[in-house]
Amino acid sequence: MEWEMGLTLSPKQKEFKWKYSKSDGLIITRTFKSGTNKTEFSNGDIDKIINFIKGKGIVPLANNVEKLSNATEKEGIGSFIYQNISSDMANAQAASQLVSILYNVGALGYNGAARGMEFWVLEENWKEKLIK
């Protein structure tokens, strides 16, 4: 699978690369001044995230670094990743790229807000959406 280019949904869009395979899951790479960061979400990880969103109905992004680190971030996608998938702050921050990917392939809905971003499940079969 070749790398795809993506942009975050925020007004100050940031570029990232991603690729997906049914065997390896989703790999996201982001480039910072300090170097490149790679985040991997297994199929099971993404299933957990989709099920969390589906169970809540509409969920905020909730991936503020400061609030995650001092445990004051509201319940949302970033905080769910941090508490249930990986306690690595960089992986929780990758929620921004994950929701962009899932929104752009039609698996998630998005309220279009720059602040107070919220997401909901449009298509549970996210794997097929990513493959296309």
Side-chain angles (χ1 to χ4, degrees), residues 57-70:
I58 297 177
V59 180
L61 179 60
N63 73 335
N64 179 287
V65 174
E66 187 177 327
K67 290 180 178 181
L68 285 170
S69 62
N70 65 22

Side-chain angles (χ1 to χ4, degrees), residues 73-105:
E73 183 59 281
K74 63 188 163 217
E75 184 179 53
I77 299 167
S79 58
F80 178 83
I81 291 169
Y82 189 68
Q83 294 168 3
N84 298 282
I85 307 288
S86 169
S87 59
D88 183 322
M89 191 65 67
N91 292 343
Q93 281 288 283
S96 292
Q97 288 74 24
L98 178 63
V99 297
S100 174
I101 294 164
L102 294 174
Y103 168 71
N104 282 303
V105 300

Side-chain angles (χ1 to χ4, degrees), residues 28-38:
I28 298 168
T29 62
R30 298 170 289 158
T31 303
F32 301 101
K33 290 177 185 171
S34 60
T36 300
N37 177 277
K38 180 169 106 175

